[in-house]
Amino acid sequence: MPSAFLAHAETARCGVFAKMVRMAQKKGPTKGSGGKHRNALRGHGPTPKAEDRVYHKAHKAKVAADKRRAADPRLAAKRRAARFSSGDTSDLVIGRNAVLEALRSNVPSKELYIAARIEHDDRTREIVKLAGAEGIHLLEADRIEMDHIAHSSNHQGIVLRTLPYEYASLQTLVDRADAKAKALSGASPEARNLAKPLFIALDGVTDPQNLGAVIRSAAAFGANGVILPERRSASVNAAAWKVSAGAAAHIPVAKVVNLTKAIQSMRERGYYAVGLDGGGTAEVGHTGFETDPLIVVLGSEGKGISRLVRETCDVIAGIPMSSMVESLNASVAAGIALSSVYSARLHATE
């Protein structure tokens, strides 16, 4: 075999071997391996559903169905109403008479909802006038929206949303009451007695209407404030505002974490605590503490004052009444007790 031919064959073998070496060193799949485009598919996840592919007819059908649902006036009304409503209705005053009374009582409010195409009468015209004078936002809603906002169909086309009540600090109220008594220390004996600090504390009163009536009595007899525990107690909401007949705007209310500790801290500042209970050892108005800085403590009609709060009081007093009645409503008892304290202070100098 000629040497030239052998040399050519050797060169060809070397070239093929070199090419195979280069192919072995090359990263990734190669032609003929079945994985030429495999890297491009990695990390993309499963195949999208037909309705999620913009080019698929299922996607077009889904878009059309969404448009039909969005155009449904009933669903649109529910979506609009959901922006203004919540599950809590404690800040709502519902109905023409109730809303009118709330506005007349100057209940702090932020929004007034009026049904579209409502048949106006003297009440609704006065409601709109009062709301406009107070700068309350007037919002018109259709029947479905009104039902959703009020969580009821019995709204008569009028719903008022009140502002959250701003509770005061007990420390601030006590400092203010002490400063008022000190400022009148040089006045007449009658004025000095009437200026003595007077607070009423409610233990376990959960009815907001009772709370509103207590606030009204506190305002009538010159109390410096009302004290509520944070737990197991009514809050100053729309119902309490309405029953207080506007007195909640003048009598501050404080919420405390622990009523027992709050009473103890006030006793350290010279206050006396008189608890009201049917089995009291003294008679309300005749405990001997009426002309001192005083806290009148009331419990619920059913359970009364709790054991710890009862033990914190200086004396337990009862209200004399007929044996035909076992107990009084908390707001009625508060009115009698505050009236008795006021009368005792008024006549203490005689």
Side-chain angles (χ1 to χ4, degrees):
M1 186 175 292
S3 59
F5 179 79
L6 292 175
H8 178 73
E10 183 66 24
T11 302
R13 283 198 300 272
C14 291
V16 171
F17 180 75
K19 184 176 181 181
M20 292 175 64
V21 170
R22 288 196 299 272
M23 291 177 65
Q25 293 176 344
K26 185 177 179 182
K27 294 181 180 180
T30 58
K31 244 181 183 181
S33 68
K36 181 178 180 181
H37 303 291
R38 188 174 297 163
N39 285 340
L41 296 176
R42 288 178 182 173
H44 287 244
T47 303
K49 296 180 179 179
E51 60 185 17
D52 295 332
R53 302 180 217 166
V54 295
Y55 55 84
H56 202 282
K57 65 178 182 179
H59 175 76
K60 297 178 181 178
K62 179 183 176 183
V63 171
D66 290 342
K67 287 182 178 179
R68 286 194 300 271
R69 282 195 295 269
D72 189 334
R74 294 170 299 179
L75 296 177
K78 288 183 178 180
R79 285 194 297 271
R80 290 194 301 271
R83 296 195 306 242
F84 306 107
S85 63
S86 63
D88 185 15
T89 59
S90 62
D91 60 344
L92 298 180
V93 182
I94 301 171
R96 301 188 182 192
N97 290 333
V99 170
L100 182 56
E101 290 178 12
L103 292 175
R104 285 174 176 173
S105 301
N106 299 317
V107 175
S109 307
K110 59 181 178 179
E111 294 165 347
L112 175 66
Y113 299 95
I114 304 177
R117 296 183 296 277
I118 188 174
E119 294 184 6
H120 286 282
D121 56 16
D122 293 339
R123 294 172 297 174
T124 59
R125 282 188 280 270
E126 185 176 355
I127 287 171
V128 173
K129 182 180 178 180
L130 292 173
E134 294 295 327
I136 299 171
H137 295 294
L138 301 179
L139 302 172
E140 188 178 67
D142 60 29
R143 183 183 60 81
I144 297 176
E145 289 176 311
M146 293 293 293
D147 292 350
H148 193 78
I149 292 168
H151 297 273
S152 168
S153 59
N154 188 26
H155 46 71
Q156 298 177 315
I158 296 288
V159 176
L160 179 70
R161 187 180 297 278
T162 61
L163 288 169
Y165 183 79
E166 295 183 6
Y167 293 95
S169 164
L170 180 59
Q171 180 71 35
T172 301
L173 296 188
V174 174
D175 290 342
R176 192 183 302 167
D178 292 347
K180 180 181 177 182
K182 187 176 180 180
L184 293 174
S185 59
S188 64
E190 181 180 303
R192 287 201 306 269
N193 285 335
L194 293 178
K196 291 291 179 63
L198 174 62
F199 288 89
I200 184 162
L202 302 181
D203 180 24
V205 176
T206 57
D207 186 357
Q209 294 188 351
N210 270 340
L211 174 58
V214 170
I215 293 174
R216 188 172 184 177
S217 296
F221 297 108
N224 297 97
V226 178
I227 306 171
L228 303 175
E230 288 186 354
R231 298 178 59 191
R232 296 186 297 274
S233 174
S235 299
V236 185
N237 56 22
W241 263 102
K242 187 175 69 172
V243 176
S244 74
H250 309 291
I251 293 295
V253 179
K255 270 196 171 183
V256 296
V257 177
N258 189 304
L259 184 60
T260 302
K261 291 183 177 180
I263 295 173
Q264 288 174 343
S265 66
M266 294 178 70
R267 289 181 66 197
E268 292 173 1
R269 295 186 56 164
Y271 282 74
Y272 292 91
V274 175
L276 262 64
D277 190 87
T281 57
E283 185 178 322
V284 65
H286 301 279
T287 63
F289 299 117
E290 280 71 23
T291 55
D292 296 305
L294 190 63
I295 313 164
V296 178
V297 186
L298 282 88
S300 63
E301 183 177 350
K303 297 182 180 179
I305 303 173
S306 64
R307 180 182 59 84
L308 292 177
V309 174
R310 184 188 183 96
E311 293 174 355
T312 310
C313 295
D314 293 282
V315 64
I316 302 297
I319 299 174
M321 56 185 177
S322 169
S323 59
M324 295 177 63
V325 179
E326 293 183 359
S327 62
L328 293 174
N329 179 277
S331 60
V332 174
I336 295 172
L338 292 174
S339 174
S340 300
V341 172
Y342 183 86
S343 178
R345 290 182 172 184
L346 189 63
H347 300 101
T349 57
E350 295 179 357

